[in-house]
Amino acid sequence: MSLSVCLITRNAENSIERALDSVAGLGAEIIVGDTGSTDRTAEIARTLGAKVLVISWQDDFGAAQNQTLDQATGDWVFWLNPDEELLAEGQGQLPALLARPEALAYFVRVQELRKPDPTSPTVEILQPRLFRRHPDIRFIGRLHPQFAVPLAEVARRDGKEIYQADLVLRHHAYLSVLTEEKLRWATRLLELELKDRPGRLHYLIEYGRNLLRLNDP
């Protein structure tokens, strides 16, 4: 079974090398969808052997992720973010995971690292990052993409299962400093998201919280 590692980037020259180095030993195809970097992100990715796709940014993370997925040729897809790295522990089990005919997808552990010190306390969550390349597995959402069709529904249709894998992603969350400019940008995407799919409470709550933080009536 073949594997494609997919990620989207923009001005990630300070983290992209670590991210791609962490998956270099997997023997996987690497697809980087770049949404308009003005730094050396695309150059570094190409140097490290990635196929770089230039994506015209349309205020839609889900659409950018789908364009990147469209370039993947592997039987399986591992989704990676440029400020993450796949830790070495558990990587040896990957061939066995991909070979399970009854598996549709796997949840992996994602460690949120809030400080540069890797020994500092982390918050750990489970996310479905490893999944079969499948026509029904697509993303939707301008700011917080999710699967357009829930993975559980795709699994039920296909008679497959979703499992948890002992793979660990470390998210270097401290690299993302939330400035007022970024907060206004995120709020604008939330406004567009609520126009696309109105009435969803969690987006309304986040939108209201952002307006309060911006002191925006």
Side-chain angles (χ1 to χ4, degrees), residues 37-111:
S37 291
T38 56
D39 62 7
R40 296 179 59 248
T41 300
E43 176 188 343
I44 293 170
R46 289 191 185 97
T47 300
L48 295 173
K51 177 182 178 181
V52 177
L53 170 68
V54 178
I55 293 175
S56 178
W57 177 245
Q58 300 174 4
D59 289 333
D60 193 324
F61 276 100
Q65 288 183 258
N66 288 335
Q67 288 183 60
T68 305
L69 271 183
D70 288 341
Q71 299 299 311
T73 63
D75 301 302
W76 286 79
V77 172
F78 189 90
W79 196 270
L80 181 69
N81 291 323
D83 56 358
E84 296 174 339
E85 61 178 320
L86 180 64
L87 300 189
E89 60 184 90
Q91 286 194 26
Q93 67 175 303
L94 198 54
L97 297 176
L98 304 187
R100 296 181 70 173
E102 78 280 13
L104 175 77
Y106 293 93
F107 282 84
V108 306
R109 293 154 52 200
V110 181
Q111 296 177 349

Side-chain angles (χ1 to χ4, degrees), residues 183 186-188 190-191 194 200-217:
L183 188 58
T187 304
R188 182 172 59 82
L190 282 170
E191 289 177 348
L194 286 166
R200 285 166 305 145
L201 183 59
H202 60 291
Y203 282 107
L204 286 167
I205 290 172
E206 183 177 357
Y207 180 57
R209 184 187 298 123
N210 285 4
L211 293 177
L212 287 171
R213 293 175 70 178
L214 290 166
N215 195 27
D216 187 337

Side-chain angles (χ1 to χ4, degrees), residues 3-4 7 42 57 75 97 99 127 133 146 154 159 166 175 194:
L3 176 67
S4 296
L7 60 160
W57 177 245
D75 301 302
L97 297 176
Q127 292 185 356
R133 188 166 60 89
Q146 54 192 283
V154 179
D166 194 24
L175 294 175
L194 286 166

